[in-house]
């Protein structure tokens, strides 16, 4: 059973640019969540999608957005990049959110560096 | 407002001994708690979890204890092995919040041979 796949694994952008990250969940998983990991803030929740609908949103500015497709694959986009957006972006999938057993399976992450 | 706290950034333990990692939380709505292990350049890997209706859950060398009155949980690893060296994250969730986990800052465990 393939795990959660994130692409690209590494990327470098400059301030003001935008970036799109992709996530393919485990087959059969319908919920996809995104997290940002930075040395100073740890792992922070960005948003969650379930059945193509944003189910939950963290405390991030509107420059951060996402979407989910009918095959459960998800993308997140960050527009007008700032230096502080440099981070490891992690995607996680689960079968059924809110079931009381929120065991998320994480991908390896996309390491974004903003210069 | 840090709802989940791991106050020890690092912990060093001798191989074969017990490792105890601690986590405190403030939100009484949390009803499910998880521990994840993370190696550099990899995503977190699920280790063990516990529901708020229990006070202990065991899985092999790993045991998680939950003290709801103190809003405290701990992960015990016995015996510790060098391969256990990694960053350990405590996470909490609320049944109504779906895939949203609140993570602690992590504790870096080093198990020395």
């Amino acid at each position: 059973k393939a795990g959660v796949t994130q692409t690209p694994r590494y990327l470098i952008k400059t301030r003001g640019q935008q970036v799109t990250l992709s996530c393919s969940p485990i087959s059969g998983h319908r919920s996809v969540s995104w997290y940002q990991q930075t040395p100073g803030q740890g792992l922070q929740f960005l948003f969650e999608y379930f059945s193509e609908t944003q189910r939950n949103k963290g405390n991030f500015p509107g420059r951060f957005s996402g979407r989910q497709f009918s095959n459960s694959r998800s993308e997140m986009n960050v527009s007008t990049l700032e230096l502080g957006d440099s981070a490891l972006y992690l995607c996680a999938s689960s079968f059924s959110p809110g079931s009381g057993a929120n065991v998320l399976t994480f991908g390896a992450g996309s390491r974004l560096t903003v210069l | 407002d840090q709802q989940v706290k791991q106050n020890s950034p690092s912990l060093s333990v001798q191989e074969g001994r017990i490792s105890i990692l601690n986590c405190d939380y403030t939100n009484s709505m949390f009803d499910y708690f998880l521990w994840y292990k993370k190696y550099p350049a990899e995503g977190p890997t699920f280790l063990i979890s516990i529901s708020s209706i229990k006070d202990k859950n065991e899985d092999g060398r790993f045991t998680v204890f939950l003290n709801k009155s103190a809003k405290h949980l701990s992960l015990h690893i016995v015996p510790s092995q060098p391969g256990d060296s990694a960053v350990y994250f405590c996470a909490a969730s609320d049944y109504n919040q779906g895939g949203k986990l609140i993570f602690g800052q992590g504790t870096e465990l080093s198990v020395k041979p």
Side-chain angles (χ1 to χ4, degrees), chain A residues 28-81:
Chain A
H29 282 193
R30 297 167 63 196
S31 168
V32 173
S33 303
W34 288 89
Y35 290 79
Q36 180 196 64
Q37 185 184 18
T38 58
Q41 299 296 320
L43 274 153
Q44 292 192 291
F45 173 77
L46 280 156
F47 28 64
E48 179 201 3
Y49 287 87
F50 180 75
S51 294
E52 302 177 65
T53 301
Q54 187 179 86
R55 190 173 182 271
N56 218 330
K57 190 177 189 305
N59 190 25
F60 278 82
R63 299 185 297 107
F64 292 81
S65 63
R67 59 177 176 168
Q68 186 181 32
F69 302 95
S70 58
N71 61 358
S72 293
R73 192 177 69 84
S74 177
E75 288 181 348
M76 68 162 281
N77 184 278
V78 188
S79 62
T80 321
L81 284 166

Side-chain angles (χ1 to χ4, degrees), chain B residues 89-103:
Chain B
F89 289 96
C90 165
S93 75
D94 168 356
Y95 182 92
N96 294 317
Q97 293 295 310
K100 178 180 179 180
L101 296 181
I102 307 299
F103 283 87

Side-chain angles (χ1 to χ4, degrees), chain B residues 17-87:
Chain B
R17 300 289 188 120
I18 183 171
S19 295
I20 301 177
L21 296 95
N22 294 303
C23 178
D24 296 296
Y25 63 96
T26 58
N27 189 341
S28 56
M29 294 296 292
F30 290 147
D31 58 3
Y32 197 69
F33 303 90
L34 309 91
W35 285 93
Y36 280 85
K37 173 180 176 179
K38 188 179 186 299
Y39 294 114
E42 294 183 13
T45 302
F46 170 73
L47 263 180
I48 191 168
S49 62
I50 188 166
S51 162
S52 60
I53 62 173
K54 295 186 174 181
D55 54 20
K56 178 182 172 182
N57 188 27
E58 267 182 281
D59 184 1
R61 296 187 297 115
F62 302 92
T63 303
V64 56
F65 295 92
L66 175 62
N67 183 333
K68 280 195 299 181
S69 60
K71 293 190 175 68
H72 177 84
L73 64 156
S74 60
L75 174 68
H76 293 209
I77 306 173
V78 184
S80 301
Q81 299 173 354
D84 295 330
S85 297
V87 178

